[in-house]
Amino acid sequence: MRKLILLATMALAAAVMPSALASAAQAPAPAAAPATTAAAPTAAQLLAKTNSCKQISNGKYKTDEDVSAKTVAVCDANGAVFWKADMDIDCDGQRSSQCNEDTDCCYQDDTAFHQSDGKPLNAAKLPYIVVPSSSSIWKYSSSQLKGGGSCAVIYNGKVEYAVIGDTGPTQIIGEASYATAKDLGINPDPSNGGTDSGVTYICFKNSTVSPIENHSAATSKGQSLATTFVNNN
C-alpha cells in the first residue's frame, strides 16, 4: 500500500514539474535598479575652482555706493565667469509684503528681465542675481551672459542656484534678490540686510533657464552646469 502511494506521489510530481519549470522560465527578470543621479558639486568643490582670477573686467567694481575702493574683479573661466563680493538686497519687481515702497526706500516696480507672462520678477519668491549694467568696465553680454542665465551663488558653505534677473549700477557689483539671500541664510531685509563679504557668484556662459521664473528648472540646470564647470576647470 505504501509503495502504491509513493508511486502515485512520484507520478503527480512528474506531471506538475514541467509546467512549474515552464512558468519559472517565462517569469520576467527583476527590473534593474534605477541609475543613481550624480550629486551636485559642493560649495567647497566650486570654490576650489575660483582660487585664481583671470581678470576680464577693465578695472574693478565697488561693492557699495558709499565706498571709494574698487576691489572686485570679474574673472574668466572655462564655461563661466565669476566674482567675489558682498551681497546687497534687491527687492525690485512685483510688490509683496516683503518688497514694496514701505520696506525698501529704493524700491522699483520693475526688473530688467521679465517672467514668461510679461510681468516683472518677484524678488521675494525668485532667487535671482543682479549684474552691473554694461559699461567700459565690463559688458556682461560680451561674456556670453544674458537675462535668465544660470548662476551658482555660494555663501558660508551653501550653494543657491539662481538666474540673472536684473541689472544694476555700472560701478557696483554684488547684489541678489530677497529670495536668494533668504535661502543662503543671509538677512534678506532690504533696509538692513545683506552681508559685507564672502559671497561668490559663478555665472555659466551661454545658459538660459526657461521659463525664467521656474526655480526648479534653474536648480536642475545649474547643478548640471556646475558639475561641468568643476570637471573642466
Side-chain angles (χ1 to χ4, degrees):
M1 186 67 178
R2 289 181 180 177
K3 290 182 179 181
L4 291 175
I5 294 174
L6 179 59
L7 289 172
T9 302
M10 291 175 65
L12 180 61
V16 172
M17 186 173 293
S19 61
L21 290 173
S23 298
Q26 295 173 5
T36 301
T37 302
T42 64
Q45 288 173 318
L46 288 168
L47 291 176
K49 303 300 181 177
T50 65
N51 285 332
S52 61
C53 176
K54 178 183 177 183
Q55 184 171 330
I56 56 172
S57 56
N58 182 27
K60 296 182 178 181
Y61 287 95
K62 300 191 297 182
T63 56
D64 290 293
E65 186 67 43
D66 58 354
V67 301
S68 57
K70 298 179 178 181
T71 59
V72 181
V74 178
C75 309
D76 194 31
N78 189 3
V81 299
F82 64 89
W83 58 93
K84 299 181 180 184
D86 64 340
M87 182 182 287
D88 298 323
I89 307 302
D90 188 329
C91 234
D92 294 340
Q94 296 184 39
R95 286 182 179 82
S96 62
S97 59
Q98 300 90 347
C99 297
N100 55 64
E101 293 87 347
D102 294 330
T103 62
D104 183 0
C105 67
C106 307
Y107 173 77
Q108 299 179 42
D109 62 359
D110 200 6
T111 50
F113 308 108
H114 292 171
Q115 295 181 166
S116 56
D117 61 4
K119 294 180 180 179
L121 302 182
N122 189 329
K125 292 184 177 180
L126 180 68
Y128 69 74
I129 74 158
V130 181
V131 293
S133 296
S134 296
S135 71
S136 59
I137 301 176
W138 179 54
K139 296 180 180 179
Y140 64 87
S141 59
S142 297
S143 295
Q144 292 79 57
L145 303 184
K146 55 188 174 182
S150 175
C151 303
V153 188
I154 305 150
Y155 176 76
N156 198 25
K158 295 181 179 179
V159 182
E160 174 71 302
Y161 291 97
V163 293
I164 296 174
D166 205 358
T167 56
T170 58
Q171 305 289 319
I172 300 172
I173 201 167
E175 188 174 6
S177 68
Y178 181 105
T180 307
K182 182 179 179 182
D183 287 353
L184 286 170
I186 297 171
N187 179 2
D189 192 314
S191 63
N192 60 24
T195 184
D196 291 335
S197 63
V199 184
T200 298
Y201 303 79
I202 303 173
C203 289
F204 305 108
K205 299 175 182 177
N206 298 309
S207 64
T208 305
V209 175
S210 182
I212 189 174
E213 68 270 19
N214 188 329
H215 182 49
S216 294
T219 300
S220 177
K221 180 176 284 289
Q223 289 176 338
S224 176
L225 292 169
T227 298
T228 301
F229 172 76
V230 168
N231 291 338
N232 292 349
N233 284 278

